[in-house]
Amino acid sequence: MGGGPGGLFFATLLKQADPSVEVTVFERNGPDDTFGFGVVFSDATLAGIHAADPVLRTALADHGRHWDDIEVRLKGQRIRCGGNGMAAITRRTLLQLLHRRAVEVGVELRFGHEVPAAPDSLADFDLIVAADGANSRFRDRLADVLVPEVEVATAKFIWFGTTYLFDGLTFVHEHGPDGTFAVHGYPISENASTFIVETDEESWRAAGLDAFDTAQPPGPSDEKTRRYLEKLFAEQIDGHDLLVNNSRWGNFRTRRTRRWHSGNVVLLGDAAHTAHFSVGSGTKMAMEDAIALAGSLLAHRDDLTTALEAYEAERRPSVERIQNSARPSLSWWEHFGRYHDAFSPTRFAFHFLSRSIGKERIARRDPEFVERVAEDWRAAHDGRDPLDTPFRLGEREFGGRWVPPAELRGPLAGCLWLTAPDAEAQLPSLYEELERAVSGATPPALVAVHSGTALTRQLLAEQARLVHTVPALIVEDGMDDDRAETLLLSGRADLVARERI
């Protein structure tokens, strides 16, 4: 069910491995209908897909665009970081090639065919693979068993294309008359790029972009938003047009499902799980699901239950890792307006690139970029490296940015200790506590954050530093020099410590 990349790839793999199996793909749209513009893959993630079938490798080589650099544009500057090999292709082209490959191996494709999610509608089939996307009807029908969960992001996003050709993955940030808007752009063909725009709800409403009726069936695009963004980003895209295709504002939904199968129905791709598009893993995860499901069915031909359990056991850990790494990235886009205002272009770029990885990993990709970040720090701190830079707190001066354990054994003068929560949903009450403390008769000279998760610690520290201009200490068990330098160079903390004794 569903003729997207994941469903088509699974059908092809199973049919070519065992031609005796009858495989039918039901797709409610026509063969040339598709929503969205491009799909992107990182070089590091493609080996398994290429090994399973060469269709994607051929598609990217013959029709795709490849690049190595990520570019961040901010305040008139363009900052580049290399070593990030990626490739993209138009979604329509990829689907056409997957259609062709599926037909070659004997898969039956039924376009314009929407099948009810009722149990008896597919009674003649031994297995139903629900690859029907994030709004899966089959998943929802089995909600009592599969227990789907959804987390809705606060940021607004809209998906366009453009005739402007970006060199590679490019992030453009503009502070306009109504607020801050940002673009994820990347080339998908010789004459078009994907152009995804994100903003916060306050900016979105201030710009008057909340009038479009998203309850309309798929098809019409938000033309008022298109005109607004063409004007806002005109200099960044040399006056080129934005292209529409069901382009309308939404809030990204991260979906998780406690179980991926029930009886002879199994979920694949976005029907089972989603991860924010800023990590570029949606299509990749669906195609990797396809490989695992086909392999598991072939390995357990006579035991469907065992096959589906083995598929889920194999894929779930990888999917959860990607979703966990996508959460800090999604959070970054929920707060980027704050970072836009607070940071220089170089620090902003490093803050963005380090949202899920540390300084050393970035340096392995592009040592010159990381050295530029460090040089900016040294230029502002009398030539000192981050960890060796002194820090004055009232009458107390630390010789470096590590807070010695002895300082943590007793009350640190003027310090407000905050226990970070395990869930972001609990942060607002701590923001209120911080607000009360800062507005009180004796405001804290330092905010120290401990416990919780890496993300909640960082967000609390940033609330202190960037909103209330109070220095922040992050205390983290087992923190090493790489983690400490990443926090300092990115502007997430002023001081660091390994543990609270």
Side-chain angles (χ1 to χ4, degrees):
M1 303 305 307
L8 288 168
F9 198 51
F10 165 77
T12 298
L13 293 177
L14 188 64
K15 184 66 175 179
Q16 71 181 3
D18 186 350
S20 69
V21 177
E22 297 181 20
V23 184
T24 305
V25 174
F26 295 92
E27 169 55 49
R28 67 180 179 182
N29 296 311
D32 296 322
D33 296 338
T34 183
F35 297 124
F37 290 92
V39 290
V40 63
F41 303 88
S42 71
D43 292 351
T45 67
L46 290 174
I49 296 174
H50 289 339
D53 189 278
V55 61
L56 182 58
R57 180 196 293 118
T58 301
L60 291 173
D62 294 347
H63 305 281
R65 304 277 292 187
H66 186 272
W67 63 85
D68 188 66
D69 288 354
I70 290 177
E71 180 175 278
V72 177
R73 300 184 187 179
L74 182 78
K75 301 173 184 176
Q77 293 192 34
R78 299 187 178 191
I79 312 297
R80 286 192 171 228
C81 178
N84 302 280
M86 296 181 182
I89 188 172
T90 63
R91 183 175 175 84
R92 183 188 298 274
T93 299
L94 177 59
L95 288 174
Q96 289 173 341
L97 294 171
L98 288 168
H99 293 164
R100 185 184 308 165
R101 180 68 178 136
V103 171
E104 284 177 358
V105 300
V107 173
E108 181 183 357
L109 303 181
R110 297 188 189 179
F111 294 104
H113 201 120
E114 185 158 9
V115 177
D120 59 350
S121 63
L122 296 168
D124 294 337
F125 290 88
D126 301 300
L127 174 66
I128 301 166
V129 180
D132 52 341
N135 297 316
S136 171
R137 294 175 298 116
F138 284 82
R139 178 200 60 224
D140 292 346
R141 178 175 66 78
L142 296 168
D144 290 346
V145 178
L146 303 181
V147 194
E149 302 169 356
V150 61
E151 180 183 351
V152 183
T154 61
K156 311 292 293 189
F157 79 95
I158 190 168
W159 206 296
F160 290 103
T162 178
T163 52
Y164 175 83
L165 286 182
F166 290 103
D167 291 335
L169 183 57
T170 305
F171 298 96
V172 186
H173 305 82
E174 286 286 353
H175 190 83
D178 304 302
T180 306
F181 292 77
V183 170
H184 312 228
Y186 52 87
I188 54 176
S189 70
E190 294 181 353
N191 51 25
S193 298
T194 286
F195 193 91
I196 310 169
V197 181
E198 290 203 74
T199 191
D200 58 89
E201 185 161 346
E202 183 179 358
S203 300
W204 176 69
R205 292 192 184 279
L209 303 179
D210 56 345
F212 185 86
D213 180 12
T214 56
Q216 296 182 70
S221 295
D222 186 341
E223 290 293 336
K224 180 179 180 180
T225 290
R226 179 185 64 80
R227 293 190 297 270
Y228 180 92
L229 295 175
E230 278 184 344
K231 181 178 180 181
L232 180 65
F233 289 101
E235 291 187 12
Q236 296 286 356
I237 58 175
D238 296 340
H240 279 253
D241 294 334
L242 294 186
L243 310 173
V244 297
N245 183 348
N246 196 43
S247 302
R248 47 180 72 183
W249 289 100
N251 296 68
F252 188 82
R253 285 166 166 75
T254 300
R255 297 187 181 274
R256 297 177 175 84
T257 312
R258 293 188 193 176
R259 285 178 54 84
W260 292 5
H261 62 93
S262 175
N264 70 334
V265 178
V266 62
L267 307 181
L268 184 149
D270 284 353
H273 48 71
T274 61
H276 192 247
F277 47 80
S278 61
V279 298
S281 293
T283 302
K284 177 192 91 80
M285 287 196 295
M287 296 182 79
E288 288 177 341
D289 284 356
I291 296 169
L293 180 57
S296 187
L297 290 168
L298 293 166
H300 305 281
R301 292 171 183 266
D302 300 321
D303 190 341
L304 181 61
T305 299
T306 298
L308 299 185
E309 289 175 350
Y311 154 67
E312 182 173 342
E314 177 182 346
R315 288 293 299 143
R316 185 179 286 278
S318 176
V319 166
E320 289 180 349
R321 282 195 298 271
I322 291 172
Q323 288 185 313
N324 290 339
S325 68
R327 182 55 230 178
S329 185
L330 186 157
S331 176
W332 192 93
W333 288 102
E334 293 178 313
H335 298 89
F336 73 89
R338 173 189 297 179
Y339 310 138
H340 176 283
D341 296 340
F343 296 145
S344 68
T346 301
R347 173 169 274 194
F348 180 91
F350 183 76
H351 189 284
F352 170 67
L353 293 166
S354 63
R355 64 200 189 281
S356 299
I357 61 175
K359 166 179 168 282
E360 289 183 2
R361 281 186 62 185
I362 300 173
R364 288 197 289 272
R365 299 177 182 183
D366 191 336
E368 292 182 2
F369 167 72
V370 172
E371 180 56 28
R372 178 177 175 180
V373 175
E375 284 177 358
D376 277 10
W377 175 282
R378 290 191 288 266
H381 296 91
D382 298 323
R384 303 272 192 150
D385 288 328
L387 294 176
D388 298 326
T389 299
F391 186 82
R392 178 168 290 278
L393 184 66
E395 299 300 318
R396 173 79 163 87
E397 181 170 296
F398 297 96
R401 296 303 173 109
W402 283 111
V403 175
E407 292 284 348
L408 303 179
R409 293 194 179 100
L412 197 58
C415 179
L416 171 67
W417 283 94
L418 292 177
T419 301
D422 291 328
E424 291 169 77
Q426 298 170 308
L427 282 171
S429 62
L430 288 161
Y431 291 159
E432 292 174 3
E433 180 181 345
L434 178 58
E435 174 76 30
R436 288 193 297 270
V438 171
S439 303
T442 308
L446 177 71
V447 172
V449 182
H450 66 101
S451 303
T453 67
L455 179 57
T456 57
R457 287 191 294 271
Q458 290 168 191
L459 290 175
L460 263 179
E462 289 179 344
Q463 187 77 4
R465 295 191 75 252
L466 305 182
V467 175
H468 300 293
T469 64
V470 178
L473 159 68
I474 290 182
V475 182
E476 199 167 279
D477 288 348
M479 185 185 298
D480 60 13
D481 285 358
D482 175 52
R483 172 68 173 158
E485 286 192 298
T486 302
L487 291 171
L488 296 170
L489 288 170
S490 65
R492 292 181 169 94
D494 299 284
L495 295 165
V496 292
R498 286 194 173 91
E499 58 184 338
R500 186 181 185 188
I501 300 175

